[in-house]
Amino acid sequence: MTAQGLQRLEEELRRLKDKERPEIIRAIAEARSHGDLSENAEYDAARDRQSFTEGRILELEQIISSAQVIDPSTLSGNTVKFGAKILLVDEETDKEITYQIVGVHEADIKLGLLSISSPLAKALIGKEKGSTVSVPAPGGDRSYEILDITYGA
């Protein structure tokens, strides 16, 4: 996991503990004040939200406690590995896109953060600039050429 990914998870954990948890407790208390809990949709919704939030808190605590942080700026080389920022061109559309290969828990394709376990990342690992990779996709295989590989900020 990268330091930025760990920081995002720690921020989410803080938000859940400091903001969400107290809001849920207030919502449960308010729903209880409305009387009969057996047919109280507000109470059921608040309890469901509490269950989800507590589960996510436990999950984040486990992920954070076992995280191994890798600083991509200390890496170098001519091949793609964890932490690399890769400039690709889709050979079918000629559209260029940049991805950074990151840990599973910090991946966010909208931000260009590609999970190390994704098919595209698996195809890219170990490849050099100028290489072409083919990745199965629902509409058929997609081919990408690696235009550049960088490490660091």
Side-chain angles (χ1 to χ4, degrees):
M1 173 174 294
T2 64
Q4 297 90 342
L6 180 61
Q7 182 180 5
R8 278 195 302 278
L9 292 179
E10 288 171 336
E11 288 169 3
E12 180 184 355
L13 180 60
R14 255 190 312 281
R15 181 183 54 78
L16 289 173
K17 285 183 167 182
D18 298 343
K19 186 174 181 251
E20 294 285 329
R21 195 183 255 169
E23 285 177 10
I24 293 168
I25 291 169
R26 278 192 293 278
I28 289 173
E30 183 179 328
R32 277 188 178 147
S33 71
H34 294 151
D36 185 11
L37 298 181
S38 65
E39 295 182 18
N40 188 329
E42 286 178 29
Y43 178 77
D44 290 340
R47 292 293 302 204
D48 288 345
R49 188 170 156 213
Q50 180 184 38
S51 177
F52 173 80
T53 300
E54 292 302 325
R56 183 64 179 156
I57 287 171
L58 288 173
E59 179 184 25
L60 287 171
E61 287 175 338
Q62 191 279 323
I63 292 167
I64 290 168
S65 70
S66 63
Q68 292 181 321
V69 177
I70 298 172
D71 182 0
S73 66
T74 63
L75 303 174
S76 63
N78 298 327
T79 61
V80 176
K81 52 189 161 237
F82 179 88
K85 286 187 181 174
I86 309 107
L87 175 61
L88 302 172
V89 63
D90 184 321
E91 293 188 329
E92 187 176 308
T93 64
D94 286 332
K95 181 180 174 191
E96 291 185 3
I97 189 155
T98 301
Y99 290 119
Q100 180 178 15
I101 298 179
V102 297
V104 174
H105 300 291
E106 62 186 312
D108 186 342
I109 203 70
K110 293 175 192 158
L111 299 176
L113 302 174
L114 187 64
S115 171
I116 187 101
S117 65
S118 70
L120 179 56
K122 287 178 180 180
L124 291 168
I125 296 291
K127 300 294 189 286
E128 296 180 343
K129 181 177 174 179
S131 298
T132 299
V133 296
S134 181
V135 181
D141 286 2
R142 303 294 299 244
S143 293
Y144 299 92
E145 181 183 348
I146 301 172
L147 299 179
D148 195 25
I149 304 167
T150 57
Y151 293 93

